[in-house]
Amino acid sequence: MSDFASPEEYGLADLLCCAAAHEVQDNEVVFAGTGLPMVAIMLAQQTHAPDLKLIFEAGTLDGRPLELPTSVGDARCEMGSSRASGLNDAFSIAQRGYVDLGFLGGAEVDLYGNVNTTCIGDYLDPDLRLTGSGGNPDINSFASRTVFIMVHEKRRFVENTSYITSPGWRVKKWPGGEFVHRKELYGSAYRGGPSAIISTMGVFRFADEEDGHMYLDTCHPGVTPQQIQEQCQFKLDVSRIQGETLVPTREELHFIHDVLDPDEIFIPKVKK
Amino acid sequence: MSDFASPEEYGLADLLCCAAAHEVQDNEVVFAGTGLPMVAIMLAQQTHAPDLKLIFEAGTLDGRPLELPTSVGDARCEMGSSRASGLNDAFSIAQRGYVDLGFLGGAEVDLYGNVNTTCIGDYLDPDLRLTGSGGNPDINSFASRTVFIMVHEKRRFVENTSYITSPGWRVKKWPGGEFVHRKELYGSAYRGGPSAIISTMGVFRFADEEDGHMYLDTCHPGVTPQQIQEQCQFKLDVSRIQGETLVPTREELHFIHDVLDPDEIFIPKVKK
Amino acid sequence: MSQDKHITIQQAAEIIKDGSSLTFSGFTIWRRPFAIVYELIRQYRKNLHLIEVNGGPQTEFLVGAGCVDIWESCWVGHELYGKYGANLSRKVADKEIIVEDYSHAEMLFRFVAGASGAPYAVTQTSLGTDIHNPEYDMLGKAGLRDGKRIAKEKYVFTEDPFFDGGQVVHVPAAKVDVALLCVQQVGEEGTVRVDGQFYSDPEVARAADITIVMAEEIVPEEYLRRNADQNTIASFEVDHIVQCPYGAHPTGMFGHYDVDGPFLKDFYSGTRTQEGYDAFAKEWIHGLDHHSYLEKLGWPRILKMRANSALNFCPREKKGGN
Amino acid sequence: MSQDKHITIQQAAEIIKDGSSLTFSGFTIWRRPFAIVYELIRQYRKNLHLIEVNGGPQTEFLVGAGCVDIWESCWVGHELYGKYGANLSRKVADKEIIVEDYSHAEMLFRFVAGASGAPYAVTQTSLGTDIHNPEYDMLGKAGLRDGKRIAKEKYVFTEDPFFDGGQVVHVPAAKVDVALLCVQQVGEEGTVRVDGQFYSDPEVARAADITIVMAEEIVPEEYLRRNADQNTIASFEVDHIVQCPYGAHPTGMFGHYDVDGPFLKDFYSGTRTQEGYDAFAKEWIHGLDHHSYLEKLGWPRILKMRANSALNFCPREKKGGN
């Protein structure tokens, strides 16, 4: 089964997509955002996790889309789903604790997995206003595990995010804003937190629950830990590195390009 | 149109049903309980209030049943309704302030329209446990007006109810339990309160909003104010009496017995 | 395909342990999961804690059988067929049961909160009534408010800080071990489609830790998924499924059969005493299973209640007709 | 039959006064009431306060036109067709607009509270984030928290007194003057049937004081009432109805047409500057009405988006296909 593709057969988006798919376990309830995560979850559904339950935030529960949706509100989401309803269902289910895994994105991330999707620069006088939170903090508050997929740049792996949109392992306690472990705030609603970041350079995980700092788990093929450290503003823990990120198998590439995203909506084909 | 029936043509239940129907104004949103109120509302719908919107607590909105339901959860409720859903819809709509009028019943009532449907005797050691509140307090809390239909007995028109199930004009402020005007508690959710009691002896209304005590509005044919006072534990205000309760018209009797309740489920026919 | 969710009526009842908290689908005398309720009685389940948006015959049957220690709800009776819950009433008088009273909307909002994972709900209903009388906190008086399954407080008052809207009451989320549902259709993977009013079934299913769905029919999952916007409860919210035609009898099922009024009337008038209840149970519950129960009811009685497919209820016989 | 609820697109826009608060049906780039949104821009509506569960192209069109003073929501963009809201972003940088940020679930729960008449909602989402940073209460800083339509507080923290569950946040109910909905079907008396996901449409309709429903088709009320359990919003919750086929364009409509991606891409890339926006509006909004807008789009473009009735969406052209 380890029919791994050779380097010229896959691109970076394929690698990220497969790494994301590997985070999914069978039978899990998975909350998907728009874009690459959708393809990753549908890939997991086609391969090792046929019984995962896919929830789209806009209100489809246990969906099995025929054609790749371009957003979670897409008409394509409804096909084959157990229930098509609305956001109150989706967020109530999430807050109730049904969600095992959520996939999210971000513009900036810090050492504790706090993520920003709101603005760059001072919130009160921003250099750039971004989309805003969307459901990022909600899924991250309620899911047992969340995985972020991000572009890796030094301006994105930062000492302090411009704004904490989505809660990591150490978050701000208001009104003072001092950092505390998320357990201290969430109480019985605490179920976990960020479990991995899949960047364009490597895969990162978080140390034991109590500490919660990010460490480098695997480097993508051809990338060194030192190159990654150079693209982080904070000191990165590289002591636990496990080697290289698994490359896509030919079977996975087949599903991605022939079945799930033949039109290259989210994942371009490699020019051969 | 004042084709009033003669005394031998109608019974007490007919009289109560018509009196209740007269409380409904056209275009109102009306919340109906099981029993005689259902017939009364459907009678109003057939006569002077064709555009009233009927809500059943179990979850049918703007219903037009073909056949008389025997409870608000009845399969008969759904027919012709705008939406069949559930209690969350019904109670959210009520709390949101859509409901103009609710019809309710009770085992005991006091001078301020506080009603008991929970128990007779000390709550902690009751002589008789009754059904409990059901939606009685909820409809009474949220509707602009509520009308109670009750059997008139001295043990039911009481100085103090055994238990306040449903809030009248002067209610208990907790934790102390001292009586205050309901406005003081409900704040911006205040929309009104009990507007009439239709008993087996007469029709009662409530003095201006500020005071809120019950007064006798009309006596049913053949009943005197004195007879009614004798059947009240509290001193009844009879100063505003307007005469006799309107008797049913032949048209109303036709609708009740030939159209709405031909099987005498709630309203027996008079033996001629 | 997920793991097999099919179980039997007997297995469904066995999932509910002595001391469990339990809730039901339906509304007063409609869509109550009677086949499983009967089986609980046959299995002599004890110390149940019923938390119901509203009660009905299922409450009365379980209470009469001595299965119930705590009843937390707002109403019990048989509608037109029995004005109040005589078994509950008797056990209240005999102090054999703890009753915790909320209003109907409060119970509903408690389940809405439970279903959405919120610790409590916010409402302005029933202010000024004895429902909020601090002396009438019966679970508190009994020392049962441990803050785990049973909330530390019956309610908490506060004021609206956002709009100066007056007094507000917080009522705790309903936390329930098992929800028993009785519906028209369930798919093999658990998707539920309720026809007609769905009452508080979606909230009840989601608030419970274990959800068992008994249906008139188990249908191919794919059939239900062709029109996902007509489904009521999602597959993964349902843990176990049971097929049981007429499983709601003597309560009614929209589109399938009406309430068996005479049966409920007999129950109500016959079970005001414990001896009456025991005799009724001996005749209609113990020693039977669902099939022999249906045999005992007999075809004429069952056919008389059958719903007309155009109406979804059984039209009343007109006088002189039949 | 109730009073006549039919109005025109122009009349619908006139109901929304300068300074009104406004919300919409749909989700990001699906089922947005564009025909009325365009008309608001043509009528030069000013000082609007948008309160949205989530934003989308409708936000960007209104913000770019200068119709909006306050935007209270959680997200704006064009999904695949434009990564963020460039018009909002520009006006934020220029301090021409007040943005109040909540999380998506908070916005949803705020509408749930508004729809159920509760003064606020209880949640545990987004604890520890800057969404709850007291320095970032923008309506408070602007002195607009009058406790009438805009709550006195952005949020209030408390602790769960029932189950010791940790920190809890109360967020104020959404109170909105007008909700504009865009759906597949509405009946003559206002009953709404949404096909596919209904997003937050039921909550939005009920939270608003005035609800206007624009539909692909107005159908006989009796048709919808034959299957009341498939309807989404009750008649009396809807004040006005407008028939307007393709009224959601350039956003999509489940079962009818897909999103016009190229149109949104052009808008996104062309309106990063105010000059760009003004040119776009001059071409596609001002001087047109809904019919001439459709004429301008042209048949080929519209037919290309048409949904397949078996799928409810427009299947993508395969490479090499037409």
Side-chain angles (χ1 to χ4, degrees):
Chain A
M1 282 303 286
S2 53
D3 177 28
F4 293 114
S6 52
E8 70 281 5
E9 291 176 284
Y10 68 90
L12 182 57
D14 292 317
L15 183 78
L16 302 187
C17 180
C18 293
H22 299 158
E23 297 293 319
V24 183
Q25 292 164 27
D26 201 11
N27 287 305
E28 289 192 319
V29 175
V30 184
F31 220 95
T34 301
L36 195 138
M38 273 184 183
V39 189
I41 293 168
M42 289 166 73
L43 175 61
Q45 209 166 22
Q46 296 279 346
T47 53
H48 65 283
D51 290 340
L52 72 84
K53 318 292 178 214
L54 177 54
I55 297 183
F56 292 122
E57 190 165 341
T60 36
L61 310 178
D62 194 5
R64 295 159 188 178
L66 267 185
E67 198 176 87
L68 193 62
T70 64
S71 78
V72 299
D74 197 312
R76 287 160 186 78
C77 296
E78 188 258 7
M79 183 68 65
S81 71
S82 175
R83 174 160 153 82
S85 56
L87 285 78
N88 195 20
D89 252 16
F91 284 128
S92 293
I93 282 171
Q95 190 168 249
R96 178 71 177 88
Y98 279 96
V99 180
D100 297 299
L101 176 63
F103 279 104
L104 299 163
E108 291 180 340
V109 64
D110 73 10
L111 179 64
Y112 293 102
N114 292 300
V115 165
N116 171 23
T117 65
T118 301
C119 65
I120 302 300
D122 179 3
Y123 180 78
L124 299 174
D125 189 15
D127 299 329
L128 181 63
R129 167 79 199 187
L130 304 170
T131 53
S133 70
N136 203 313
D138 308 306
I139 299 169
N140 204 9
S141 294
F142 297 139
S144 301
R145 310 192 316 280
T146 47
V147 174
F148 288 86
I149 300 174
M150 287 181 64
V151 174
H152 205 128
E153 296 174 334
K154 189 158 192 166
R155 62 184 180 116
R156 293 173 180 274
F157 280 63
V158 297
E159 192 70 44
N160 291 298
T161 59
S162 297
Y163 182 98
I164 297 183
T165 310
S166 196
W169 288 101
R170 294 186 65 79
V171 293
K172 290 180 178 174
K173 181 173 181 174
W174 303 112
E178 65 278 15
F179 277 86
V180 297
H181 193 280
R182 65 186 280 154
K183 268 187 189 174
E184 200 178 315
L185 297 183
Y186 284 80
S188 63
Y190 168 79
R191 298 186 193 98
S195 83
I197 292 178
I198 299 171
S199 85
T200 46
M201 298 184 83
V203 175
F204 306 80
R205 299 194 184 277
F206 292 86
D208 63 284
E209 275 192 18
E210 295 317 311
D211 181 82
H213 74 267
M214 189 192 301
Y215 66 86
L216 178 61
D217 185 44
T218 61
C219 298
H220 296 339
V223 180
T224 65
Q226 197 187 332
Q227 286 173 319
I228 293 176
Q229 175 61 75
E230 282 166 12
Q231 294 302 317
C232 288
Q233 287 182 22
F234 51 82
K235 174 82 183 110
L236 183 67
D237 176 356
V238 295
S239 66
R240 310 184 185 204
I241 190 160
Q242 298 212 58
E244 231 175 44
T245 310
L246 271 190
V247 304
T249 65
R250 294 201 172 89
E251 188 200 17
E252 288 171 333
L253 292 174
H254 157 67
F255 280 119
I256 293 173
H257 297 294
D258 300 333
V259 178
L260 299 171
D261 194 14
D263 302 319
E264 305 179 73
I265 293 171
F266 295 117
I267 311 210
K269 288 175 187 156
V270 184
K271 303 287 174 289
K272 290 183 189 172
Chain B
M1 283 303 287
S2 51
D3 178 25
F4 293 115
S6 52
E8 70 281 5
E9 290 175 285
Y10 68 90
L12 183 57
D14 292 317
L15 184 77
L16 303 187
C17 180
C18 293
H22 299 157
E23 298 293 319
V24 183
Q25 292 163 27
D26 201 12
N27 287 305
E28 288 192 321
V29 175
V30 184
F31 220 94
T34 301
L36 196 139
M38 272 183 183
V39 190
I41 293 168
M42 288 165 74
L43 175 61
Q45 208 166 24
Q46 296 280 345
T47 54
H48 65 283
D51 290 340
L52 73 83
K53 319 288 179 219
L54 177 53
I55 297 183
F56 292 122
E57 190 164 341
T60 36
L61 310 179
D62 194 5
R64 295 161 189 176
L66 267 186
E67 197 175 89
L68 193 62
T70 64
S71 78
V72 299
D74 197 313
R76 287 160 186 79
C77 296
E78 188 257 8
M79 184 67 64
S81 70
S82 174
R83 175 161 153 83
S85 55
L87 284 78
N88 195 21
D89 251 17
F91 285 128
S92 293
I93 283 171
Q95 188 166 251
R96 177 71 178 87
Y98 278 96
V99 180
D100 297 299
L101 178 60
F103 279 103
L104 299 164
E108 291 180 338
V109 64
D110 73 10
L111 180 64
Y112 293 102
N114 292 301
V115 164
N116 171 24
T117 65
T118 301
C119 65
I120 302 299
D122 180 2
Y123 180 78
L124 299 174
D125 188 15
D127 299 328
L128 181 63
R129 167 78 199 189
L130 304 170
T131 54
S133 71
N136 203 315
D138 309 307
I139 300 170
N140 204 8
S141 295
F142 297 139
S144 301
R145 310 192 316 279
T146 48
V147 174
F148 288 86
I149 301 174
M150 285 181 64
V151 174
H152 205 129
E153 296 175 333
K154 190 155 191 168
R155 63 184 180 117
R156 293 175 180 272
F157 280 64
V158 297
E159 192 69 44
N160 292 297
T161 59
S162 297
Y163 182 98
I164 297 183
T165 310
S166 196
W169 288 101
R170 295 187 64 79
V171 293
K172 291 180 178 174
K173 182 173 180 174
W174 302 112
E178 65 279 14
F179 278 86
V180 297
H181 193 282
R182 66 186 279 154
K183 268 186 189 173
E184 200 178 316
L185 297 183
Y186 283 80
S188 62
Y190 168 79
R191 296 186 195 98
S195 84
I197 292 177
I198 298 171
S199 86
T200 47
M201 299 185 83
V203 175
F204 305 81
R205 298 194 184 277
F206 292 86
D208 63 281
E209 273 192 20
E210 296 316 313
D211 180 80
H213 74 267
M214 190 192 299
Y215 67 86
L216 177 61
D217 186 42
T218 62
C219 298
H220 296 339
V223 180
T224 65
Q226 197 186 332
Q227 287 173 318
I228 292 175
Q229 175 62 72
E230 281 165 12
Q231 295 301 318
C232 288
Q233 288 182 20
F234 52 82
K235 173 84 184 107
L236 183 67
D237 177 355
V238 296
S239 66
R240 310 183 186 204
I241 189 162
Q242 298 212 58
E244 233 176 43
T245 310
L246 271 188
V247 304
T249 65
R250 296 203 170 87
E251 189 200 16
E252 288 172 333
L253 292 174
H254 157 69
F255 279 119
I256 292 173
H257 296 294
D258 301 333
V259 179
L260 299 172
D261 193 14
D263 301 319
E264 305 179 75
I265 294 171
F266 296 117
I267 310 209
K269 287 175 188 157
V270 184
K271 303 288 176 285
K272 289 185 192 171
Chain C
M1 249 303 244
S2 306
Q3 76 281 19
D4 189 0
K5 294 186 177 178
H6 294 74
I7 56 171
T8 65
I9 293 170
Q10 288 72 20
Q11 289 170 326
E14 283 160 13
I15 287 167
I16 298 136
K17 308 298 179 200
D18 287 355
S20 291
S21 56
L22 184 60
T23 193
F24 309 98
S25 66
F27 188 94
T28 66
I29 57 173
W30 288 86
R31 282 205 296 98
R32 300 304 198 171
F34 253 91
I36 302 174
V37 164
Y38 282 140
E39 189 59 26
L40 285 170
I41 296 169
R42 286 184 203 116
Q43 294 183 9
Y44 298 100
R45 197 68 68 255
K46 292 284 170 216
N47 312 123
L48 294 178
H49 177 174
L50 303 189
I51 308 181
E52 306 191 74
V53 175
N54 54 69
Q58 77 289 352
T59 320
E60 275 288 288
F61 275 72
L62 287 167
V63 165
C67 304
V68 181
D69 281 359
I70 306 172
W71 181 66
E72 208 171 333
S73 190
C74 73
W75 185 94
V76 66
H78 308 276
E79 298 278 11
L80 190 63
Y81 310 108
K83 9 184 340 178
Y84 67 102
N87 289 280
L88 184 90
S89 201
R90 180 176 69 250
K91 303 248 176 192
V92 167
D94 295 347
K95 304 212 168 37
E96 291 177 12
I97 195 166
I98 295 174
V99 169
E100 191 68 272
D101 276 299
Y102 284 90
S103 83
H104 204 179
E106 284 179 338
M107 285 307 302
L108 186 273
F109 292 140
R110 291 184 63 199
F111 273 92
V112 171
S116 77
Y120 52 92
V122 177
T123 178
Q124 292 191 280
T125 190
S126 305
L127 300 173
T129 68
D130 275 314
I131 294 170
H132 298 157
N133 187 329
E135 290 303 306
Y136 297 168
D137 167 9
M138 306 307 285
L139 290 169
K141 277 182 187 278
L144 293 170
R145 298 202 168 279
D146 61 3
K148 295 187 176 92
R149 305 297 285 181
I150 298 177
K152 290 172 79 173
E153 308 283 343
K154 178 173 178 177
Y155 55 82
V156 170
F157 286 125
T158 183
E159 296 282 324
D160 166 18
F162 294 105
F163 303 103
D164 290 329
Q167 197 178 68
V168 172
V169 61
H170 293 172
V171 284
K175 294 191 189 266
V176 192
D177 294 328
V178 184
L180 290 180
L181 271 62
C182 186
V183 302
Q184 291 90 352
Q185 292 182 317
V186 68
E188 289 151 347
E189 298 179 34
T191 298
V192 171
R193 181 175 297 174
V194 170
D195 295 323
Q197 297 168 314
F198 53 68
Y199 311 127
S200 46
D201 296 5
E203 292 84 5
V204 148
R206 195 172 289 162
D209 287 349
I210 299 173
T211 297
I212 301 173
V213 174
M214 178 169 70
E216 285 295 308
E217 46 179 7
I218 295 178
V219 299
E221 185 73 20
E222 179 270 340
Y223 166 79
L224 296 176
R225 289 179 183 240
R226 258 179 258 157
N227 293 96
D229 52 7
Q230 292 176 25
N231 297 335
T232 315
I233 298 171
S235 57
F236 56 81
E237 302 184 63
V238 173
D239 300 284
H240 307 284
I241 61 176
V242 191
Q243 177 167 295
C244 182
Y246 299 99
H249 182 276
T251 63
M253 170 79 62
F254 180 95
H256 288 255
Y257 45 91
D258 265 36
V259 175
D260 191 341
F263 191 98
L264 290 180
K265 263 189 190 159
D266 287 349
F267 175 82
Y268 174 68
S269 58
T271 67
R272 286 155 173 268
T273 63
Q274 192 60 48
E275 297 67 40
Y277 181 91
D278 294 342
F280 193 97
K282 192 174 171 198
E283 181 175 3
W284 283 101
I285 306 176
H286 295 292
L288 297 174
D289 64 9
H290 185 61
H291 287 156
S292 51
Y293 174 80
L294 292 181
E295 296 286 4
K296 189 170 161 65
L297 285 171
W299 278 101
R301 182 168 199 153
I302 291 172
L303 288 179
K304 205 173 168 176
M305 295 179 288
R306 194 166 61 164
N308 179 293
S309 348
L311 300 169
N312 293 307
F313 57 85
C314 174
R316 295 190 183 102
E317 295 167 7
K318 297 297 162 207
K319 299 288 148 102
N322 185 18
Chain D
M1 247 303 246
S2 306
Q3 76 281 17
D4 189 1
K5 295 186 175 176
H6 294 73
I7 57 170
T8 64
I9 292 169
Q10 288 72 20
Q11 288 170 329
E14 284 160 12
I15 287 166
I16 298 135
K17 307 300 178 198
D18 286 355
S20 292
S21 55
L22 184 60
T23 193
F24 309 98
S25 67
F27 188 95
T28 67
I29 57 174
W30 287 86
R31 282 205 297 99
R32 300 304 198 170
F34 253 91
I36 303 174
V37 165
Y38 282 140
E39 189 60 27
L40 284 170
I41 296 169
R42 285 182 204 119
Q43 294 183 10
Y44 299 100
R45 197 68 68 256
K46 291 284 171 216
N47 312 124
L48 295 178
H49 177 175
L50 303 190
I51 308 180
E52 307 190 74
V53 175
N54 55 68
Q58 78 288 354
T59 319
E60 276 289 287
F61 274 73
L62 287 167
V63 165
C67 304
V68 181
D69 281 0
I70 306 171
W71 182 67
E72 207 171 334
S73 189
C74 73
W75 185 93
V76 66
H78 308 277
E79 299 277 12
L80 190 65
Y81 310 107
K83 23 191 317 187
Y84 67 102
N87 289 281
L88 184 90
S89 200
R90 179 176 70 248
K91 303 249 177 191
V92 167
D94 295 348
K95 304 212 167 40
E96 290 176 14
I97 195 165
I98 296 173
V99 169
E100 191 68 271
D101 276 299
Y102 284 90
S103 83
H104 204 178
E106 284 179 337
M107 285 307 301
L108 186 274
F109 292 140
R110 292 183 63 198
F111 273 92
V112 170
S116 78
Y120 50 92
V122 177
T123 178
Q124 292 191 279
T125 189
S126 306
L127 299 173
T129 69
D130 275 314
I131 294 169
H132 297 158
N133 186 328
E135 291 302 307
Y136 297 167
D137 167 8
M138 306 307 283
L139 289 169
K141 278 181 186 277
L144 294 171
R145 296 202 170 278
D146 60 4
K148 294 185 178 95
R149 305 297 285 182
I150 299 177
K152 290 172 79 174
E153 308 283 344
K154 179 172 178 177
Y155 55 82
V156 170
F157 286 125
T158 183
E159 295 282 324
D160 167 17
F162 295 104
F163 304 101
D164 290 330
Q167 196 178 70
V168 172
V169 62
H170 293 172
V171 284
K175 295 190 188 266
V176 193
D177 295 326
V178 184
L180 290 179
L181 272 62
C182 186
V183 303
Q184 290 91 352
Q185 292 182 317
V186 67
E188 288 152 346
E189 298 179 35
T191 298
V192 171
R193 182 175 296 173
V194 170
D195 295 323
Q197 297 168 313
F198 53 69
Y199 310 128
S200 45
D201 295 7
E203 292 84 6
V204 148
R206 194 171 290 162
D209 288 348
I210 299 173
T211 297
I212 302 172
V213 174
M214 178 169 70
E216 285 296 307
E217 46 181 6
I218 294 177
V219 299
E221 186 72 20
E222 178 271 339
Y223 165 80
L224 297 177
R225 288 178 184 240
R226 258 180 259 158
N227 293 97
D229 52 7
Q230 292 177 26
N231 297 335
T232 315
I233 298 171
S235 58
F236 57 82
E237 303 185 62
V238 173
D239 300 283
H240 306 284
I241 61 176
V242 191
Q243 176 168 297
C244 182
Y246 299 99
H249 182 277
T251 63
M253 169 78 63
F254 179 94
H256 289 255
Y257 44 90
D258 265 36
V259 175
D260 191 342
F263 191 98
L264 290 180
K265 262 190 189 160
D266 286 350
F267 175 83
Y268 175 69
S269 58
T271 68
R272 287 155 173 268
T273 63
Q274 192 61 50
E275 298 67 39
Y277 181 92
D278 294 342
F280 193 97
K282 191 174 170 199
E283 181 175 1
W284 283 102
I285 306 176
H286 296 292
L288 297 174
D289 63 8
H290 185 61
H291 286 156
S292 51
Y293 174 81
L294 292 180
E295 296 287 2
K296 190 170 158 68
L297 286 171
W299 277 102
R301 182 166 199 154
I302 290 172
L303 289 180
K304 203 172 170 177
M305 294 180 288
R306 195 165 62 163
N308 179 292
S309 344
L311 299 170
N312 292 306
F313 57 84
C314 175
R316 294 190 184 103
E317 296 168 8
K318 298 296 163 206
K319 299 289 150 95
N322 176 37

